[in-house]
Amino acid sequence: MQTKFLNAIKGHSWRYFLTVGAIALIYYAASQFAVSTLTLSSEIYPMWPAAGIAQVGLLLFGRQLWPGIAIGGFLFSMSVPSANIGTALISAGARTLQAWTGTYLLQGINFNPGLDRLKDVLGIVGLSAFASTLISSTIGSIVVCLTLSSWSNFGTIWATWWVGDAMGILLVAPLLLTWHKLPKVPINRKQMIERVIWVLLLLAVGWLVFCSRTRAAYARYPLEYLPFPLVVWAAFRFGQRYTALSNFILCGFAIWGIARGSGPFLKHASSIPQALLSLQAFIAVIAVTGLVLAATVAERHQAEASLRASEASLANAQRIAQLGNWDLDRNAQQLRWSEEIYRILGQQPGSFEPSLEAFLEYVHPEDRELVKTSIEAALFQQQPYSIDYRLILPDGSNRTVYEQAAITSLYITSTVQDITDRKQAEAALRSSEERFSKAFHASPVGISICTLTDGCFLDANESFLRSLGWLQHEFIGRTASDLGMFVNSEDGRRLAQILQSQNSISNQEIKIRTKAGEVRDWLLSMELIDLGSTQCVLIMTTDITERLRSEEFRRAALAAEAANRSKSIFLANMSHELRTPLNAIIGYSEILQEDARDLGAEEFIDDLQRINTAGKHLLDLIKDILDLTKIEAGRTDLHVETFTISTLVEEVVATIAPMADKNSNILEIQYPENIGSMQTDLTKLRQSLLNLLSNAAKFTCSGTITFTVTRSIETPAEAEKRGKRLGAPRGSGKAENSLSLLYSPQDWIVFTVKDTGIGMSSEQLAKIFDPFTQADSSTTKKYGGTGLGLTITKKFCEMMGGDITAFSEVDKGSTFTIRLPAIFTDLSISTEKSDN
């Protein structure tokens, strides 16, 4: 007790001291109230409420709060005249020990403060009210006799003390224990009216029997038992709360009546002590009777509730398991069955009287004779049975049930369970096993099963055996080590360790040796499974040898692409470096030509002219290579600007006219005066047009070159097709507003260059846009050039959001068409802006 006391102080100091102080104050106040109010004669108290308060305090809040009772008892003892510290300490210790002992005894029987069990009522009456009170009454009586130096009244003092404490516990403790928490269940209106009527009758009867000074108080009839039906009413209808309340109210009226000089207990008593003794005996009997009766009723209600819960639980269990039962009294030939039998038959519970004939009506005609024969054998030959049969429900559906019957001397008891789902599940399981077996053997994934302990193979499908080259009879019963499967002997131990720690292995790459000695790469997964009582390993494999080789080829291709990009970057840099000395050669050749003319050295002019022409030709070649390599290296940028189309046409025609005249060609220009303007990279467009017109002038002799410029508006279908081709899906989040421009019809500028030159075949036409390619080798020898012009033109057109197409026939000429948007739209720029 001391340890618990110290722990309470350490753990909950302020709360502990506050509770101790409250208990001490209440105990002291209750003691003073008993002395000042309940004293009916010299040193005689009908009840001592402080004893009940002390018992309740320790029961509800714990025995570690005993200092509250000790302090309250000590303060009260010190307030008594002629008291000293010694007797006060002894008296306080005796009262504390009494409450602590009563609490200890009650907790030993697992006491419930609600007093809903007969054990709890007998415990509070026997252990607390009658047993623990012996401690305080004995010690207190001894102290009083020692103080007064007289032992002649020891018996009277002891009895008065003991009965007062017992009555205090018997009346106050049940009231406080049952009412320390308010009821949680709400009371309806009818219950409230019944309680009000009961309280009014109790008050009226209590006043009439115990406090009235009329002749009724002295009638010959035993009116003191008139309140007993009200106590029984409370016990049966309201429980322990109101039973304890009725006992307390009746005790109060009885004490008040004796104090007023009225009541039935004064009729046959010659003194107040005798009347008090009769009162205490009466109150004790009625209190114990009421509490015992209320506890018995509460236990019966609990038993009924438990029975109802068990029946409901059984009904739920039967409904969940679809299990019904029937019982046949062999003597009375009376048949009873559960509600689940009706549900199994597809009927509402209680829709018809149970009978064998009614049940057989639901049995499938093919199974009816089996059921009837089994039941008759149980009736007349006492043979139990277990059978499966089918039922036909009112909706026409068939159900399968399993019935098992047991026989006793008086009853035949049978259970009927709907096993339709189980039958279907078993059929589905068999079908699943068949499908698994087929999938196991037909799967393209290699699958095998081996034991966990020794690694012997139990089975393998065709894919697994095929990948290794072993036959079924050569493989089964052997281990991976026996077959020499692992290229690295450590792989087997490593896989076993992983499987032991993780219970599964997923996508492990290992090297396997086939029967022919070929090393293959496998992607392996393993899983622990149970086959009966044997723990096995399921192995799934995929041969990834070709995939790994393809991956190596892909990496080589990426390396080649990287090398090609490096080559392009190198050519771009080298071409740029070559232009500087070449420009110097061309410049010096022109200066030397002028000096030769001035000096009259005409014989050098032709050679210098050839040097100049060759330098310019070489410069053009380097320029084409530079443009192409810049494009391939991703170092070409667009410089978008708005310009007038007619101005562009005039500039291009002025540049190309001398070349056309050189081969006696007629250059026709066709474009509307209101052709307007466009927005794109002017330099790249000019270079593209010059490439097409120069080719037309080069490959046409004494013919016609037609240069046409038109403006057209595309249809919505063409706009939709163009947007999808550019990879701009509709409704793409924040970029939708910007990308919607790609789906709206736009103005397009179409540049057409048509000539009547040598033309091309379909084979030649298919590769004219490939780099370093011309129609054929004779073309290169005759007309010169690198074959990069059309390639650069096509890439420029694609960069500007358009395209170039070509049509040609041999000896009839060629037609090249450039189609560009009038307003350039950069998809990446538009998307970026919309995201911001």
Side-chain angles (χ1 to χ4, degrees):
M1 184 173 68
Q2 184 178 2
T3 303
K4 293 183 178 180
F5 174 64
L6 294 176
N7 291 335
I9 293 178
K10 292 178 181 178
H12 307 280
S13 57
W14 66 270
R15 186 180 300 174
Y16 175 80
F17 288 118
L18 184 62
T19 308
V20 167
I23 292 177
L25 181 61
I26 295 173
Y27 188 91
Y28 176 78
S31 300
Q32 291 294 344
F33 172 79
V35 172
S36 61
T37 306
L38 300 180
T39 304
L40 300 180
S41 64
S42 178
E43 302 298 331
I44 297 178
Y45 311 103
M47 61 177 292
W48 189 257
I53 292 174
Q55 189 66 79
V56 172
L58 297 190
L59 280 174
L60 295 181
F61 303 108
R63 297 198 305 269
Q64 67 271 16
L65 296 177
W66 60 267
I69 301 172
I71 295 172
F74 177 77
L75 295 176
F76 169 73
S77 298
M78 289 298 296
S79 65
V80 176
S82 70
N84 55 62
I85 296 178
T87 57
L89 288 174
I90 295 174
S91 178
R95 298 176 191 274
T96 304
L97 182 59
Q98 170 183 297
W100 191 93
T101 303
T103 304
Y104 176 80
L105 294 175
L106 290 176
Q107 290 178 345
I109 64 170
N110 194 21
F111 177 76
N112 182 13
L115 300 178
D116 292 330
R117 301 174 300 180
L118 183 61
K119 178 179 70 172
D120 301 325
V121 173
L122 296 179
I124 197 72
V125 173
L127 298 178
S128 181
F130 292 159
S132 67
T133 51
L134 297 173
I135 298 174
S136 179
S137 59
T138 302
I139 296 175
S141 299
I142 293 173
V143 170
V144 171
C145 292
L146 289 175
T147 302
L148 299 177
S149 300
S150 175
W151 293 87
S152 59
N153 295 327
F154 176 80
T156 302
I157 296 173
W158 182 89
T160 302
W161 197 313
W162 179 76
V163 172
D165 284 353
M167 293 300 297
I169 294 176
L170 196 60
L171 294 173
V172 176
L175 181 68
L176 296 179
L177 288 173
T178 56
W179 284 94
H180 79 280
K181 289 183 180 179
L182 294 178
K184 294 182 179 180
V185 180
I187 300 175
N188 58 39
R189 184 177 180 182
K190 292 182 179 180
Q191 291 176 333
M192 182 63 72
I193 293 175
E194 182 181 4
R195 281 165 170 75
V196 171
I197 293 174
W198 174 80
V199 170
L200 294 177
L201 288 175
L202 183 66
L203 295 176
V205 171
W207 172 264
L208 176 65
V209 172
F210 299 110
C211 298
S212 176
R213 291 177 178 173
T214 61
R215 293 172 60 185
Y218 299 98
R220 295 180 180 179
Y221 305 106
L223 295 180
E224 60 270 21
Y225 295 101
L226 188 59
F228 189 76
L230 297 176
V231 177
V232 175
W233 185 359
F236 273 97
R237 295 290 296 164
F238 311 138
Q240 289 287 24
R241 292 176 183 268
Y242 291 89
T243 302
L245 180 63
S246 66
N247 293 336
F248 189 79
I249 292 175
L250 292 176
C251 178
F253 274 115
I255 295 173
W256 189 14
I258 292 177
R260 302 176 75 244
S262 61
F265 300 108
L266 294 174
K267 292 187 298 182
H268 307 290
S270 58
S271 63
I272 290 180
Q274 292 181 355
L276 283 177
L277 184 60
S278 300
L279 166 66
Q280 290 169 335
F282 169 77
I283 293 300
V285 170
I286 198 171
V288 172
T289 302
L291 292 176
V292 170
L293 183 60
T296 304
V297 172
E299 286 188 337
R300 189 189 69 181
H301 289 165
Q302 291 173 359
E304 292 175 352
S306 177
L307 179 60
R308 288 193 298 270
S310 298
E311 292 176 349
S313 178
L314 177 61
N316 288 333
Q318 288 187 340
R319 184 164 53 251
I320 294 172
Q322 295 181 302
L323 175 68
N325 67 282
W326 58 262
D327 296 308
L328 176 63
D329 189 333
R330 299 178 61 189
N331 295 329
Q333 292 297 308
Q334 184 178 3
L335 180 65
R336 297 184 301 272
W337 62 41
S338 64
E339 294 183 353
E340 192 60 26
I341 293 289
Y342 288 102
R343 297 189 184 95
I344 293 175
L345 297 177
Q347 298 289 353
Q348 292 294 327
S351 56
F352 58 89
E353 289 295 326
S355 67
L356 178 60
E357 292 75 14
F359 185 82
L360 290 174
E361 289 295 326
Y362 293 90
V363 179
H364 195 283
E366 298 178 1
D367 301 335
R368 193 171 295 161
E369 188 63 28
L370 170 65
V371 177
K372 185 177 180 181
T373 303
S374 300
I375 296 177
E376 289 177 351
L379 280 172
F380 302 112
Q381 301 176 18
Q382 298 186 6
Q383 293 181 357
Y385 61 87
S386 299
I387 55 176
D388 293 351
Y389 55 91
R390 292 165 293 172
L391 298 176
I392 300 179
L393 272 57
D395 59 2
S397 61
N398 290 345
R399 307 294 291 180
T400 304
V401 298
Y402 169 72
E403 182 175 355
Q404 185 174 9
I407 303 173
T408 64
S409 59
L410 299 178
Y411 291 95
I412 297 178
T413 302
S414 177
T415 59
V416 180
Q417 185 176 17
D418 190 332
I419 60 172
T420 307
D421 295 338
R422 190 181 74 187
K423 288 289 187 181
Q424 293 175 351
E426 291 175 353
L429 179 60
R430 288 192 297 270
S431 176
S432 176
E433 290 175 349
E434 293 176 0
R435 289 195 300 270
F436 173 77
S437 178
K438 293 179 180 178
F440 176 83
H441 291 288
S443 173
V445 176
I447 306 175
S448 65
I449 300 174
C450 69
T451 59
L452 178 63
T453 55
D454 53 12
C456 287
F457 286 101
L458 303 178
D459 199 359
N461 66 354
E462 293 298 326
S463 298
F464 193 91
L465 295 172
R466 191 185 312 114
S467 63
L468 288 173
W470 293 97
L471 297 178
Q472 184 84 11
H473 68 276
E474 298 173 333
F475 185 80
I476 301 303
R478 302 178 66 182
T479 66
S481 299
D482 297 338
L483 299 171
M485 291 175 53
F486 294 115
V487 175
N488 186 356
S489 59
E490 294 295 327
D491 285 344
R493 287 188 289 270
R494 179 174 58 86
L495 293 175
Q497 291 174 357
I498 297 175
L499 189 64
Q500 185 176 6
S501 61
Q502 300 180 3
N503 295 330
S504 65
I505 297 175
S506 178
N507 297 331
Q508 286 280 331
E509 293 188 10
I510 62 170
K511 291 187 178 298
I512 294 296
R513 182 181 291 105
T514 66
K515 179 181 179 181
E518 181 185 3
V519 176
R520 307 288 293 181
D521 291 291
W522 271 10
L523 191 65
L524 179 140
S525 297
M526 305 174 73
E527 190 78 25
L528 292 179
I529 60 173
D530 289 327
L531 295 181
S533 59
T534 305
Q535 194 169 18
C536 300
V537 181
L538 178 67
I539 305 172
M540 292 169 286
T541 64
T542 303
D543 193 321
I544 60 172
T545 307
E546 303 303 328
R547 192 182 77 184
L548 292 180
R549 291 175 181 174
S550 299
E551 182 66 20
E552 293 177 358
F553 293 151
R554 187 186 67 83
R555 288 196 293 267
L558 292 176
E561 291 177 2
N564 185 55
R565 285 194 298 271
S566 299
K567 177 265 299 178
S568 298
I569 296 173
F570 171 75
L571 287 176
N573 294 331
M574 290 303 297
S575 299
H576 180 74
E577 294 298 327
L578 289 173
R579 291 175 66 182
T580 301
L582 199 55
N583 284 328
I585 293 173
I586 295 172
Y588 279 116
S589 67
E590 292 175 352
I591 295 173
L592 290 175
Q593 288 182 55
E594 294 177 359
D595 291 343
R597 288 190 185 94
D598 293 340
L599 296 174
E602 297 294 337
E603 67 276 13
F604 297 112
I605 292 178
D606 290 340
D607 294 332
L608 293 174
Q609 182 66 39
R610 292 188 185 95
I611 293 174
N612 184 269
T613 302
K616 289 182 178 179
H617 180 66
L618 183 58
L619 184 61
D620 290 338
L621 295 180
I622 293 174
K623 181 180 179 182
D624 289 343
I625 295 175
L626 180 60
D627 289 341
L628 181 61
T629 53
K630 281 185 176 181
I631 293 172
E632 291 180 347
R635 296 169 59 180
T636 300
D637 298 326
L638 289 177
H639 302 282
V640 180
E641 57 183 303
T642 303
F643 54 88
T644 303
I645 299 175
S646 59
T647 304
L648 170 66
V649 172
E650 293 173 359
E651 294 176 355
V652 172
V653 171
T655 304
I656 209 64
M659 187 178 297
D661 293 340
K662 182 179 180 180
N663 288 342
S664 303
N665 292 318
I666 299 174
L667 182 59
E668 295 182 356
I669 310 300
Q670 298 176 3
Y671 65 92
E673 295 181 358
N674 59 347
I675 189 65
S677 60
M678 68 180 298
Q679 183 187 76
T680 190
D681 190 318
L682 176 59
T683 303
K684 289 181 175 54
L685 177 57
R686 184 189 296 114
Q687 183 177 345
S688 299
L689 294 176
L690 288 174
N691 284 341
L692 296 182
L693 289 169
S694 63
N695 283 344
K698 184 194 311 183
F699 296 111
T700 303
C701 185
S702 300
T704 302
I705 301 173
T706 305
F707 180 30
T708 306
V709 183
T710 59
R711 181 184 291 266
S712 65
I713 301 179
E714 64 184 356
T715 63
E718 292 174 338
E720 182 77 17
K721 183 177 180 181
R722 170 175 50 82
K724 292 181 179 180
R725 185 177 70 252
L726 293 176
R730 310 273 330 236
S732 54
K734 297 179 180 180
E736 184 176 0
N737 295 332
S738 298
L739 297 179
S740 63
L741 295 174
L742 294 174
Y743 290 94
S744 61
Q746 297 185 18
D747 287 351
W748 289 78
I749 308 301
V750 182
F751 302 91
T752 305
V753 177
K754 182 178 181 182
D755 63 65
T756 57
I758 62 176
M760 293 174 288
S761 64
S762 58
E763 293 79 7
Q764 294 170 339
L765 189 63
K767 57 183 180 179
I768 60 169
F769 293 112
D770 295 340
F772 303 101
T773 301
Q774 288 187 337
D776 55 31
S777 58
S778 62
T779 303
T780 305
K781 295 178 181 178
K782 182 176 180 180
Y783 297 99
T786 61
L788 295 176
L790 291 178
T791 303
I792 295 172
T793 300
K794 182 175 179 61
K795 292 185 179 294
F796 281 170
C797 292
E798 292 174 351
M799 291 175 63
M800 292 183 289
D803 201 358
I804 180 173
T805 58
F807 174 78
S808 183
E809 292 185 37
V810 178
D811 298 329
K812 291 185 180 181
S814 303
T815 302
F816 289 85
T817 303
I818 293 178
R819 191 167 180 267
L820 297 176
I823 299 177
F824 175 75
T825 301
D826 190 343
L827 178 61
S828 62
I829 295 175
S830 301
T831 304
E832 182 180 359
K833 290 180 179 179
S834 64
D835 289 340
N836 294 334

